[in-house]
Amino acid sequence: MQRPQTFRQMLGQDSAIDVYRQALPVILVSLVAGLFSGTLLGTEAMREGIESVPGILLLLPAFLATRGGVYGSLGARLSSGLHQGLIDPHFEWNDRLRNAIVASFLNGMIVSVFIAVLSWGVSLVLSREANLLELLIVLIVAALLSAFAMLGVLLTVIFKGYRRGLDPDNVIGPVVTTVGDVFGVVFLLIGISVAGVVL
């Protein structure tokens, strides 16, 4: 099987039309998924979950935003590694890949705990009732589930797309945003359910 082009080879061929052609389908899927995510937020189950966990609405935007930040940076590192020939496009589990994945996973978990604590603190300042343990359970469950989902989708899109001639730089942004929003909302709802059972 012929090895995909390196970054230097792609530089001369990646025209604006190529970028548009590769990114447009992903952006359209992202648009539909974003509407789906908004629909989930408007469901009765989500409304009840938000009402049952004080502080959850406060942390929702921060949680969703950090999914894109943490795993978007992983996608950028992997994309650069592929272009530079530092990472094999056939997904070989080496130190470079493992370190990048582990670092992103830990960053995602640590940031989620920080968001829960910060939301609890802000709720106290605003004289609103909030349970720190409840917020931590919700965020840890949601962060753990979203990490597995994000990593699975991200690695699949990057490696399979690259082998098929797609430049990961053109598609990773919309993919990470879409997966982070959709799975983030779903997994927050699951986290709320788990917290309700545990507490």
Side-chain angles (χ1 to χ4, degrees):
M1 186 176 188
Q2 187 178 0
R3 185 181 176 89
Q5 298 179 64
T6 64
F7 178 64
R8 289 183 180 179
Q9 291 171 322
M10 294 177 85
L11 275 178
Q13 300 174 3
D14 210 16
S15 67
I17 293 176
D18 291 330
V19 174
Y20 179 78
R21 179 179 52 81
Q22 291 179 18
L24 182 61
V26 181
I27 292 172
L28 292 176
V29 170
S30 177
L31 173 64
V32 173
L35 293 173
F36 175 72
S37 178
T39 302
L40 286 177
L41 279 173
T43 61
E44 187 66 29
M46 194 66 193
R47 285 199 299 271
E48 289 176 0
I50 289 171
E51 291 173 1
S52 68
V53 181
I56 198 75
L57 196 56
L58 187 64
L59 60 77
L60 177 64
F63 176 74
L64 295 180
T66 55
R67 298 310 91 188
V70 169
Y71 295 101
S73 109
L74 171 62
R77 279 197 301 274
L78 295 181
S79 178
S80 296
L82 285 168
H83 286 319
Q84 295 168 4
L86 300 174
I87 296 177
D88 190 84
H90 299 290
F91 190 81
E92 288 185 2
W93 191 249
N94 55 36
D95 288 343
R96 184 181 296 274
L97 182 60
R98 181 176 58 251
N99 291 339
I101 291 173
V102 169
S104 294
F105 176 81
L106 291 176
N107 283 341
M109 297 303 295
I110 292 168
V111 166
S112 297
V113 170
F114 177 74
I115 291 170
V117 174
L118 186 61
S119 298
W120 174 74
V122 171
S123 296
L124 290 183
V125 170
L126 297 176
S127 301
R128 297 177 183 171
E129 180 186 353
N131 184 325
L132 178 58
L133 180 59
E134 187 174 36
L135 291 175
L136 284 170
I137 291 172
V138 171
L139 264 292
I140 288 172
V141 169
L144 188 60
L145 293 175
S146 65
F148 288 114
M150 297 280 290
L151 287 171
V153 172
L154 190 62
L155 294 174
T156 300
V157 169
I158 287 177
F159 285 99
K160 286 195 173 182
Y162 188 79
R163 288 198 304 269
R164 294 181 181 181
L166 290 177
D167 183 349
D169 291 333
N170 296 336
V171 297
I172 285 306
V175 166
V176 168
T177 302
T178 301
V179 175
D181 287 350
V182 174
F183 283 118
V185 171
V186 171
F187 293 145
L188 274 175
L189 188 55
I190 293 173
I192 289 170
S193 300
V194 171
V197 171
V198 172
L199 300 177

